[in-house]
Coordinates of all heavy atoms in Angstrom, one line a residue:
P180 N 58.4 70.7 57.4 CA 59.1 70.0 56.2 C 60.3 70.7 55.7 O 60.3 72.0 55.8 CB 58.0 70.0 55.1 CG 56.7 70.0 55.9 CD 57.0 70.8 57.0
I181 N 61.3 70.0 55.4 CA 62.6 70.6 54.9 C 62.7 70.2 53.4 O 62.6 69.0 53.1 CB 63.8 70.0 55.7 CG1 63.6 70.4 57.2 CG2 65.1 70.6 55.1 CD1 64.7 69.7 58.1
I182 N 62.9 71.2 52.6 CA 63.3 70.9 51.1 C 64.7 71.2 50.9 O 65.1 72.3 51.1 CB 62.3 71.7 50.2 CG1 60.9 71.3 50.4 CG2 62.7 71.5 48.8 CD1 59.8 72.2 49.7
L183 N 65.4 70.2 50.4 CA 66.9 70.3 50.3 C 67.2 70.4 48.8 O 66.8 69.7 47.9 CB 67.5 69.0 50.8 CG 67.3 68.7 52.3 CD1 67.8 67.3 52.6 CD2 68.0 69.7 53.1
Y184 N 68.2 71.3 48.6 CA 68.8 71.5 47.3 C 70.3 71.0 47.5 O 70.8 71.1 48.6 CB 68.9 73.0 46.9 CG 67.6 73.8 46.7 CD1 66.9 74.0 47.8 CD2 67.4 74.3 45.4 CE1 65.7 74.8 47.6 CE2 66.3 75.1 45.2 CZ 65.5 75.3 46.3 OH 64.3 76.1 46.1
M185 N 70.9 70.5 46.5 CA 72.3 70.1 46.4 C 72.7 69.3 47.7 O 73.8 69.6 48.4 CB 73.1 71.4 46.4 CG 72.8 72.3 45.2 SD 73.6 74.0 45.2 CE 72.5 74.7 46.4
A186 N 72.0 68.3 48.0 CA 72.2 67.5 49.3 C 72.7 66.1 49.1 O 73.0 65.5 50.1 CB 70.9 67.6 50.1
L187 N 72.8 65.6 47.9 CA 73.1 64.2 47.8 C 74.4 63.8 48.4 O 74.5 62.8 49.0 CB 73.1 63.8 46.2 CG 71.8 63.9 45.5 CD1 71.9 63.4 44.0 CD2 70.7 63.0 46.2
A188 N 75.5 64.6 48.2 CA 76.8 64.1 48.7 C 76.8 64.1 50.3 O 77.5 63.4 50.8 CB 77.8 65.1 48.2
Q189 N 76.0 64.9 50.9 CA 76.0 65.0 52.3 C 74.8 64.4 53.0 O 74.5 64.6 54.2 CB 76.1 66.5 52.8 CG 77.3 67.3 52.3 CD 78.6 66.7 52.9 OE1 78.6 66.1 54.0 NE2 79.7 67.0 52.3
L190 N 74.0 63.6 52.3 CA 72.8 63.1 52.7 C 72.9 62.2 54.0 O 72.1 62.4 54.9 CB 72.1 62.3 51.6 CG 70.5 62.2 51.8 CD1 69.8 63.4 52.1 CD2 70.0 61.5 50.6
P191 N 73.9 61.3 54.1 CA 74.0 60.6 55.3 C 74.1 61.4 56.6 O 73.5 61.2 57.6 CB 75.2 59.7 55.1 CG 75.2 59.5 53.6 CD 74.8 60.9 53.1
E192 N 75.0 62.5 56.5 CA 75.2 63.4 57.5 C 73.9 64.2 57.9 O 73.6 64.4 59.1 CB 76.4 64.3 57.3 CG 77.7 63.7 57.2 CD 78.0 63.0 55.9 OE1 77.1 63.1 55.0 OE2 79.1 62.4 55.7
I193 N 73.2 64.6 56.9 CA 72.0 65.4 57.1 C 71.0 64.6 57.8 O 70.3 65.0 58.7 CB 71.5 66.0 55.8 CG1 72.5 67.0 55.2 CG2 70.1 66.6 55.9 CD1 72.2 67.5 53.8
T194 N 70.7 63.3 57.3 CA 69.6 62.5 57.8 C 70.0 62.2 59.3 O 69.1 62.1 60.1 CB 69.4 61.3 57.0 OG1 70.6 60.6 56.8 CG2 68.9 61.7 55.6
A195 N 71.3 61.9 59.6 CA 71.6 61.5 60.9 C 71.3 62.7 61.8 O 70.8 62.5 63.0 CB 73.1 61.2 60.9
A196 N 71.6 63.9 61.4 CA 71.4 65.1 62.2 C 70.0 65.4 62.4 O 69.5 65.8 63.5 CB 72.1 66.4 61.6
C197 N 69.1 65.1 61.3 CA 67.7 65.3 61.5 C 67.1 64.3 62.5 O 66.2 64.7 63.3 CB 67.0 65.1 60.1 SG 67.3 66.5 59.0
L198 N 67.6 63.1 62.5 CA 67.2 62.2 63.5 C 67.5 62.6 64.9 O 66.7 62.5 65.9 CB 67.7 60.7 63.2 CG 67.2 60.1 62.0 CD1 68.0 58.9 61.6 CD2 65.8 59.7 62.2
R199 N 68.8 63.1 65.1 CA 69.2 63.6 66.4 C 68.4 64.8 66.8 O 68.1 65.0 68.0 CB 70.6 64.0 66.3 CG 71.6 62.8 66.2 CD 73.0 63.2 66.6 NE 73.5 64.3 65.7 CZ 74.2 64.2 64.6 NH1 74.3 63.0 64.1 NH2 74.6 65.2 63.9
G200 N 67.9 65.6 65.8 CA 67.1 66.8 66.1 C 65.6 66.5 66.4 O 64.9 67.4 66.8
G201 N 65.3 65.2 66.4 CA 63.9 64.8 66.9 C 63.0 64.3 65.9 O 61.8 63.9 66.2
L202 N 63.4 64.3 64.6 CA 62.4 63.8 63.6 C 62.3 62.3 63.7 O 63.4 61.6 63.9 CB 62.8 64.2 62.1 CG 62.6 65.6 61.7 CD1 63.0 65.8 60.3 CD2 61.1 66.0 61.8
A203 N 61.2 61.7 63.6 CA 61.0 60.3 63.7 C 61.6 59.6 62.5 O 61.6 60.1 61.4 CB 59.5 59.9 63.8
P204 N 62.2 58.4 62.7 CA 62.7 57.6 61.6 C 61.7 57.4 60.4 O 62.2 57.3 59.3 CB 63.1 56.3 62.3 CG 63.3 56.6 63.6 CD 62.3 57.7 64.0
G205 N 60.4 57.3 60.8 CA 59.4 57.0 59.7 C 58.9 58.3 59.1 O 57.9 58.2 58.2
T206 N 59.5 59.5 59.3 CA 59.0 60.7 58.7 C 59.1 60.5 57.2 O 60.1 60.1 56.6 CB 60.0 61.9 59.1 OG1 60.0 62.0 60.5 CG2 59.6 63.1 58.4
P207 N 58.0 60.8 56.5 CA 58.0 60.6 55.0 C 59.0 61.4 54.3 O 59.4 62.6 54.7 CB 56.6 61.1 54.6 CG 55.7 60.9 55.9 CD 56.7 61.3 57.0
A208 N 59.6 60.9 53.2 CA 60.5 61.6 52.4 C 60.4 61.2 51.0 O 59.9 60.2 50.6 CB 62.0 61.3 52.9
A209 N 60.8 62.1 50.1 CA 60.8 61.9 48.7 C 62.0 62.6 48.0 O 62.4 63.6 48.5 CB 59.5 62.4 48.1
V210 N 62.5 61.9 46.9 CA 63.6 62.5 46.2 C 63.2 62.6 44.8 O 62.6 61.7 44.2 CB 64.8 61.6 46.2 CG1 66.0 62.3 45.5 CG2 65.2 61.3 47.7
I211 N 63.3 63.8 44.2 CA 63.0 64.1 42.8 C 64.2 64.5 42.0 O 64.8 65.5 42.3 CB 61.9 65.2 42.6 CG1 60.6 64.9 43.5 CG2 61.5 65.3 41.1 CD1 60.6 65.7 44.7
S212 N 64.7 63.6 41.1 CA 65.8 63.8 40.4 C 65.5 64.2 39.0 O 64.7 63.7 38.3 CB 66.7 62.5 40.4 OG 67.8 62.6 39.5
H213 N 66.3 65.2 38.4 CA 66.1 65.7 37.1 C 64.6 66.0 36.8 O 64.0 65.6 35.8 CB 66.6 64.7 36.0 CG 68.0 64.3 36.1 ND1 69.0 65.1 35.4 CD2 68.7 63.5 36.9 CE1 70.1 64.6 35.7 NE2 70.0 63.6 36.6
A214 N 64.1 66.9 37.7 CA 62.7 67.2 37.6 C 62.4 67.9 36.3 O 63.1 68.6 35.7 CB 62.3 68.2 38.7
S215 N 61.2 67.6 35.8 CA 60.5 68.1 34.6 C 61.2 67.7 33.3 O 61.0 68.4 32.2 CB 60.4 69.7 34.7 OG 61.7 70.4 34.3
S216 N 62.0 66.7 33.3 CA 62.7 66.1 32.2 C 62.3 64.7 32.0 O 61.7 64.1 32.9 CB 64.2 66.2 32.2 OG 64.7 65.2 33.1
E217 N 62.6 64.1 30.8 CA 62.4 62.7 30.5 C 63.2 61.8 31.5 O 62.9 60.6 31.6 CB 62.7 62.3 29.0 CG 61.6 62.9 28.1 CD 61.9 62.4 26.7 OE1 63.0 61.8 26.5 OE2 61.0 62.6 25.8
D218 N 64.3 62.4 32.0 CA 65.1 61.6 32.9 C 64.6 61.7 34.4 O 65.3 61.1 35.3 CB 66.6 62.1 32.8 CG 67.2 61.9 31.4 OD1 66.9 60.9 30.9 OD2 67.9 62.7 31.0
E219 N 63.5 62.3 34.6 CA 63.0 62.5 36.0 C 62.8 61.1 36.6 O 62.3 60.1 36.1 CB 61.7 63.2 36.0 CG 61.2 63.4 37.4 CD 59.9 64.2 37.4 OE1 60.0 65.5 37.5 OE2 58.8 63.7 37.3
R220 N 63.3 61.0 37.9 CA 63.1 59.8 38.8 C 62.6 60.3 40.1 O 63.2 61.2 40.6 CB 64.4 59.0 38.8 CG 64.9 58.5 37.5 CD 66.2 57.6 37.7 NE 65.9 56.5 38.5 CZ 66.8 55.7 39.0 NH1 68.1 56.0 38.9 NH2 66.5 54.6 39.7
I221 N 61.7 59.6 40.7 CA 61.2 59.9 42.0 C 61.3 58.6 42.9 O 60.8 57.5 42.5 CB 59.7 60.4 41.9 CG1 59.7 61.6 40.9 CG2 59.1 60.7 43.2 CD1 58.2 62.0 40.6
V222 N 61.8 58.9 44.1 CA 61.9 57.8 45.1 C 61.1 58.3 46.3 O 61.4 59.3 46.9 CB 63.4 57.5 45.4 CG1 63.4 56.5 46.6 CG2 64.1 57.0 44.2
E223 N 60.2 57.4 46.7 CA 59.4 57.7 47.9 C 59.9 56.7 49.0 O 60.0 55.6 48.9 CB 57.9 57.4 47.7 CG 57.3 58.3 46.7 CD 55.8 58.0 46.3 OE1 55.0 58.2 47.2 OE2 55.6 57.4 45.2

Side-chain angles (χ1 to χ4, degrees):
I181 302 171
I182 296 178
L183 298 170
Y184 300 66
M185 302 171 286
L187 291 183
Q189 300 293 340
L190 199 52
E192 292 81 1
I193 293 171
T194 54
C197 286
L198 290 167
R199 292 194 301 271
L202 286 182
T206 300
V210 184
I211 305 102
S212 172
H213 296 272
S215 79
S216 80
E217 284 187 351
D218 296 324
E219 181 177 270
R220 298 181 65 193
I221 301 172
V222 175
E223 299 174 70

